[in-house]
Amino acid sequence: MKKGELSHLAQEGARIAVRVTPKVSRNEVTLHDGQIRVMTTAIPEDGKANKAVQKLLASALGIAKSRLELRQGAFSRNQALRTVGRSVADIWD
């Protein structure tokens, strides 16, 4: 998915549900039947896969990874993240 392609979902306080698949051959974010799927090469050990998911999803949303907060599912394939803070674009509007 291109950088910022999911930017319409990056509203402050938005809850974003994702399906995570760790340990795959490539990093990818897809939208399939209305569900966001994040595939990462990172292994699900010591939070490595969670950090990779945060980075990949932030890129797809077009926001900084520090604006995404894992709210649910740290040890699950089904996760919920929340956007926090405001982007520079929001401040200038």
Side-chain angles (χ1 to χ4, degrees):
M1 184 165 285
K2 294 181 183 177
K3 186 173 184 176
E5 197 167 326
L6 296 176
S7 62
H8 63 280
L9 299 175
Q11 303 300 318
E12 184 178 356
R15 182 181 184 276
I16 301 168
V18 298
R19 173 76 175 174
V20 177
T21 306
K23 271 179 49 173
V24 295
S25 60
R26 63 183 173 164
N27 291 317
E28 186 176 30
V29 178
T30 61
L31 187 60
H32 183 62
D33 293 332
Q35 182 180 33
I36 299 171
R37 295 180 184 212
V38 181
M39 291 164 270
T40 179
T41 59
I43 58 173
E45 182 178 281
D46 298 326
K48 292 176 186 174
N50 290 338
K51 289 178 185 176
V53 167
Q54 184 179 20
K55 181 179 177 182
L56 292 166
L57 185 58
S59 178
L61 292 169
I63 61 174
K65 64 182 179 183
S66 60
R67 287 195 56 213
L68 277 179
E69 183 178 86
L70 181 62
R71 301 296 291 177
Q72 183 178 358
F75 301 103
S76 173
R77 289 182 183 255
N78 295 314
Q79 295 185 349
L81 294 100
R82 184 173 67 103
T83 58
V84 294
R86 296 177 59 179
S87 70
V88 173
D90 293 337
I91 295 169
W92 292 106
D93 286 344

